[in-house]
């Protein structure tokens, strides 16, 4: 499986990572090589095999819906790039 | 002082031979003097360490505290440390001051440990050579032209150079065991879920596990004791009792059944490493163990499967780094999409981007079944190989890595050849089993690791098997030259 520039562009958009035109060629090559490595999987017969999502086959644990943490908004927002009145600021989304 | 075990240091502290402040200052001085040539630390926490050491000294003087009270260690920079910068080896988190401690950090603090600093690592734990770190490569103290392995390369190098008596590490596909092997130290990856992942920056959540990196199995037992146990803050934490890991260290190995997978001794294994591993196994025969050839027929599928599962989980986990709540944000974003895309492009290095992109592709519409689902099915087959093997044998042994530390830069341009460094360690993560790497005899003068794989929650058995070799041989005492006074 080999990826072309259009494929890389599409994946990069889905992943929200900017890829410059200069990087395109080497990224397409590296990703194609990795897919070449992964390709070995397709030869394996997995008919009837149950997918393994958890190494210990454990069910997801649930907890009761109780307040366990105290409010630490100021502390958490002290490391944010930009905040105002307790809100995280990003460029305008709705015109 | 730097060659003493944790048990010896603890006894000296209690006897009043020196204080924890003196011990801590001793290691801080070593780091100051020697780490410029190794780059094993990203952040050294002198003030915090000395104040923790003072508190430990007060406890010791009052006759309180445990074995780890006042013992300095280093944390891999993947563990969140409250008030201390936590970079995960990335530019993305260059200025990230964690608002909370990881459970591993909390537990070790409660045990009285002193944190010397945060160790260098491959960016977001993605790498096998420590060359993907934004903070520069770590050098192997045995030969500074070669890599220390990765991703816990800083932890391995600082313990090997005796800049810290022990360190924490994490292992998603071999990141504790492979650098331990390449640096000539002991590194244990526990069973998945044994040690809490809370506050450990996530790479691939179904594979990630934390463990100790030390100069002996006996020290690893002490550190694991403090690290292990159920944590309700980690949704995949194992609710299993924690045994006494030091109690059975010296148990006799007569009749122990050791399985040698033929797939671990084939093509691609360096001859000198093979010889070191065989020599270690011969020692086990002398200790009364029985050696049986076994087969793990799906071994060749471990690396391909891993490079779907791990990137898929990483692409999902790393979506949290978006330049909004913390971490790097680009200058003058023109809209929200530009903010995301440029912050991520600038904040992540090449290897991290590669894995995010591969993972995104594997999870994207139309490809999910062919990649992610297929990989999860093969993961089951790989896991079943081990289940079958453990019906016949108590532990599995083989090399940790196919060769010794390679030269810095040698494999940097070829990601796929780098991925093959983890060929013997990856299957253990896919199955969720515990594995330990301990030093075997040096291969051509460089460290080589023996890997011992155990059944689920058999950490005590692994430590016992490892410790018995360390009682019978001096492999683990070999240290790099120029360690200083």
């Amino acid at each position: 499986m080999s990826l072309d520039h259009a494929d890389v562009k599409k994946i990069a958009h889905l992943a929200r990572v900017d890829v410059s035109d200069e990087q395109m060629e080497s990224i397409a090559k590296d990703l194609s090589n990795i897919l070449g490595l992964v390709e070995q999987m397709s030869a394996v017969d997995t008919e009837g095999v149950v997918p393994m999502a958890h190494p210990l086959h454990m069910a997801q644990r649930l907890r009761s819906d109780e307040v366990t943490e105290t409010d630490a908004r100021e502390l958490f927002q002290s490391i944010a790039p930009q905040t105002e009145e307790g809100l995280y600021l990003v460029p305008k989304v709705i015109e | 002082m730097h060659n003493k075990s944790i048990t010896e240091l603890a006894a000296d502290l209690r006897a009043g031979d020196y204080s924890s402040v003196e011990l801590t200052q001793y290691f801080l001085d070593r780091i100051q003097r020697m780490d410029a040539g190794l780059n094993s630390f990203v952040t050294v926490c002198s003030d915090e360490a000395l104040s923790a050491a003072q508190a430990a000294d007060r406890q010791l003087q009052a006759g309180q505290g445990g074995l780890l009270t006042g013992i300095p260690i280093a944390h891999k920079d993947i563990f969140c440390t409250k008030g201390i910068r936590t970079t995960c080896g990335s530019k993305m988190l260059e200025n990230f001051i964690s608002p909370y401690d990881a459970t591993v950090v909390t537990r070790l603090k409660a045990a009285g440990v002193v944190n010397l600093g945060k160790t260098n690592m491959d960016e977001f734990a993605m790498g096998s050579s420590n060359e993907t770190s934004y903070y520069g490569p770590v050098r192997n103290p045995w030969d500074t032209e070669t890599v220390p392995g990765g991703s816990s390369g800083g932890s391995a190098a600082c313990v090997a150079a005796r800049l810290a008596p022990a360190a924490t590490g994490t292992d998603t596909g071999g990141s504790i065991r492979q650098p331990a092997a390449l640096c000539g130290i002991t590194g244990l990856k526990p069973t998945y879920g044994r040690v809490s992942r809370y506050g450990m920056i996530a790479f691939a959540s179904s594979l990630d596990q934390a463990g100790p990196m030390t100069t002996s199995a006996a020290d690893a037992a002490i550190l694991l004791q403090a690290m292990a146990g159920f944590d309700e803050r980690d949704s995949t934490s194992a609710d299993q009792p924690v045994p006494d890991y030091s109690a059975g260290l010296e148990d006799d190995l007569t009749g122990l059944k050791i399985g040698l997978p033929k797939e671990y001794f084939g093509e691609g294994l360096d001859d000198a490493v093979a010889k070191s591993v065989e020599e270690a196994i011969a020692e086990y025969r002398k200790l009364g163990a029985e050696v049986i050839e076994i087969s793990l027929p799906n071994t060749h599928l471990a690396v391909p499967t891993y490079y779907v599962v791990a990137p898929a989980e990483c692409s999902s986990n790393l979506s949290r780094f978006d330049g909004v709540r913390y971490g790097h944000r680009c200058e003058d974003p023109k809209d929200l999409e530009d903010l995301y895309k440029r912050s991520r492009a600038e904040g992540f290095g090449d290897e991290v981007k590669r894995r995010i992109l591969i993972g995104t592709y594997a999870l994207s519409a139309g490809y999910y079944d062919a990649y992610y689902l297929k990989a999860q099915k093969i993961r089951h087959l790989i896991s079943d190989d081990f289940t079958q093997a453990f019906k016949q044998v108590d532990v599995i042994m083989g090399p940790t890595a196919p060769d010794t530390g390679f030269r810095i830069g040698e494999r940097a341009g070829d990601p796929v050849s780098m991925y093959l460094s983890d060929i013997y360690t990856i299957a253990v993560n896919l199955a969720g089993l515990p594995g330990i790497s301990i030093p075997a005899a040096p291969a051509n003068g460089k460290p080589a690791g023996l890997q011992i794989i155990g059944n689920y929650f058999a950490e005590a058995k692994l430590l016992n098997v490892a410790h018995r070799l360390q009682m019978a041989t001096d492999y683990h005492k070999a240290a790099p030259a120029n360690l200083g006074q």
Side-chain angles (χ1 to χ4, degrees):
Chain A
M1 180 80 203
S2 146
L3 298 179
D4 61 24
H5 292 198
D7 295 326
V8 174
K9 216 168 209 155
K10 187 177 159 220
I11 301 164
H13 172 68
L14 289 174
R16 299 293 187 272
V17 178
D18 223 15
V19 172
S20 68
D21 291 340
E22 301 86 75
Q23 297 166 304
M24 197 59 88
E25 189 57 42
S26 76
I27 292 182
K29 188 182 116 247
D30 286 341
L31 297 189
S32 298
N33 285 345
I34 297 169
L35 290 177
L37 170 80
V38 163
E39 197 56 42
Q40 292 175 57
M41 294 195 317
S42 61
V44 183
D45 180 8
T46 51
E47 185 69 41
V49 179
V50 181
M52 177 171 167
H54 188 291
L56 302 173
H57 310 290
M58 272 186 351
Q60 185 71 53
R61 203 176 59 243
L62 297 175
R63 64 166 174 83
S64 48
D65 187 16
E66 286 162 0
V67 176
T68 55
E69 303 284 336
T70 50
D71 180 29
R73 177 188 282 197
E74 255 175 63
L75 175 65
F76 294 154
Q77 292 204 328
S78 67
I79 50 171
Q82 213 185 345
T83 58
E84 198 180 292
E85 294 172 21
L87 301 171
Y88 293 100
L89 289 194
V90 294
K92 205 172 188 179
V93 179
I94 303 164
E95 292 298 335
Chain B
M1 203 140 52
H2 54 264
N3 280 319
K4 291 193 174 188
S5 69
I6 291 177
T7 312
E8 288 167 329
L9 293 172
D12 290 354
L13 287 174
R14 252 164 208 77
D17 293 349
Y18 40 82
S19 66
S20 174
V21 168
E22 286 168 319
L23 182 65
T24 300
Q25 190 62 55
Y26 175 82
F27 280 104
L28 288 170
D29 289 344
R30 282 181 70 80
I31 294 168
Q32 169 79 27
R33 210 167 58 237
M34 295 164 65
D35 199 46
L38 297 176
N39 197 28
S40 67
F41 281 84
V42 174
T43 305
V44 178
C45 310
S46 308
D47 295 345
E48 293 89 346
L50 289 169
S51 93
Q54 278 169 4
D57 281 333
R58 283 194 294 273
Q59 270 201 302
L60 289 165
Q61 274 154 17
Q64 296 164 343
L67 208 44
L68 284 169
T69 304
I71 304 289
I73 70 158
H75 283 299
K76 184 177 182 179
D77 207 12
I78 197 169
F79 292 102
C80 285
T81 41
K82 188 172 183 172
I84 295 169
R85 186 167 78 128
T86 300
T87 71
C88 218
S90 182
K91 179 184 178 187
M92 182 60 86
L93 295 176
E94 192 174 9
N95 299 309
F96 177 67
I97 309 284
S98 173
Y100 67 99
D101 276 332
T103 296
V104 162
V105 173
T106 306
R107 289 196 174 172
L108 286 168
K109 242 184 212 175
V113 154
V114 170
N115 174 23
L116 293 168
K118 310 292 294 289
T119 61
N120 203 343
M121 55 182 282
D122 278 300
E123 185 179 3
F124 286 105
M126 298 174 200
S128 309
S129 67
N130 222 114
E131 291 168 292
T132 74
S133 170
Y134 176 67
Y135 305 92
V138 175
R139 293 172 180 276
N140 190 322
W142 288 80
D143 174 356
T144 53
E145 295 304 306
T146 65
V147 304
S151 68
S152 311
S155 288
C158 82
V159 172
R162 310 298 193 261
L163 304 185
T168 54
T170 63
D171 190 317
T172 303
S175 283
I176 287 175
R177 290 160 289 155
Q178 184 255 16
L182 269 46
C183 288
I185 65 162
T186 297
L188 170 67
K189 181 205 96 75
T191 307
Y192 181 77
R194 177 73 296 180
V195 174
S196 170
R197 294 184 298 108
Y198 179 77
M200 190 177 114
I201 296 170
F203 160 16
S205 302
S206 78
L207 303 165
D208 295 343
Q209 183 56 198
M213 303 180 76
T214 54
T215 56
S216 70
D219 281 0
I222 294 168
L223 222 54
L224 181 64
Q225 199 74 51
M227 294 168 77
F230 177 67
D231 179 11
E232 61 179 22
R233 288 177 154 173
D234 171 1
S235 67
T236 58
S237 176
D239 196 358
Q240 295 264 340
V242 178
D244 183 337
Y245 292 117
S246 300
L249 279 177
E250 297 189 8
D251 286 358
D252 189 71
L253 298 187
T254 306
L256 178 83
K257 288 198 174 76
I258 299 173
L260 300 187
K262 61 176 190 230
E263 293 82 2
Y264 285 29
F265 292 88
E267 200 187 334
L269 176 61
D270 177 79
D271 289 342
V273 174
K275 202 166 149 275
S276 299
V277 169
E278 280 155 16
E279 200 180 309
I281 288 160
E283 290 291 335
Y284 279 109
R285 286 184 210 266
K286 285 191 223 162
L287 292 169
E290 185 190 340
V291 177
I292 301 160
E293 187 183 285
I294 60 165
S295 177
L296 300 170
N298 293 297
T299 296
H300 65 291
L301 295 171
V303 173
T305 303
Y306 178 86
Y307 279 97
V308 172
V309 174
E313 294 182 12
C314 117
S315 76
S316 167
N317 269 326
L318 271 60
S319 63
R320 75 193 59 181
F321 301 104
D322 58 3
V324 175
R325 288 158 302 143
Y326 50 83
H328 178 76
R329 174 183 281 205
C330 66
E331 295 281 340
D332 302 322
K334 67 178 194 310
D335 55 28
L336 189 58
E337 191 171 292
D338 184 46
L339 167 78
Y340 292 151
K341 285 186 172 177
R342 277 199 296 128
S343 298
R344 288 162 65 78
E346 293 167 9
F348 293 137
D350 290 345
E351 181 61 22
V352 172
K353 280 184 213 164
R354 269 196 284 277
R355 297 202 196 186
I356 289 175
L357 293 174
I358 279 289
T360 302
Y361 177 71
L363 291 175
S364 63
Y367 296 101
Y368 179 85
D369 285 6
Y371 289 106
Y372 193 66
L373 198 65
K374 183 83 179 176
Q376 281 195 313
K377 288 179 178 177
I378 298 176
R379 186 174 179 183
H380 214 145
L381 299 177
I382 291 166
S383 174
D384 284 347
D385 283 356
F386 286 104
T387 308
Q388 290 306 317
F390 283 121
K391 286 179 183 162
Q392 283 181 69
V393 299
D394 301 309
V395 292
I396 294 170
M397 286 189 193
T400 306
D403 44 25
T404 53
F406 43 91
R407 293 178 74 80
I408 292 172
E410 188 184 306
R411 294 180 195 172
D414 183 359
V416 169
S417 87
M418 185 76 84
Y419 297 170
L420 296 172
S421 310
D422 294 326
I423 191 158
Y424 305 127
T425 48
I426 273 177
V428 174
N429 298 78
L430 289 169
L433 293 164
I436 190 169
S437 178
I438 57 171
N444 295 330
K446 287 177 165 190
L450 170 74
Q451 181 177 216
I452 313 170
I453 304 164
N455 214 335
Y456 296 105
F457 299 103
E459 287 82 4
K461 172 55 79 183
L462 288 185
L463 289 162
N464 161 225
V465 172
H467 182 68
R468 290 297 305 211
L469 186 74
Q470 296 183 340
M471 283 170 73
T473 68
D474 278 337
Y475 300 150
H476 66 297
K477 296 227 167 108
N482 307 318
L483 275 190
Q485 292 305 304

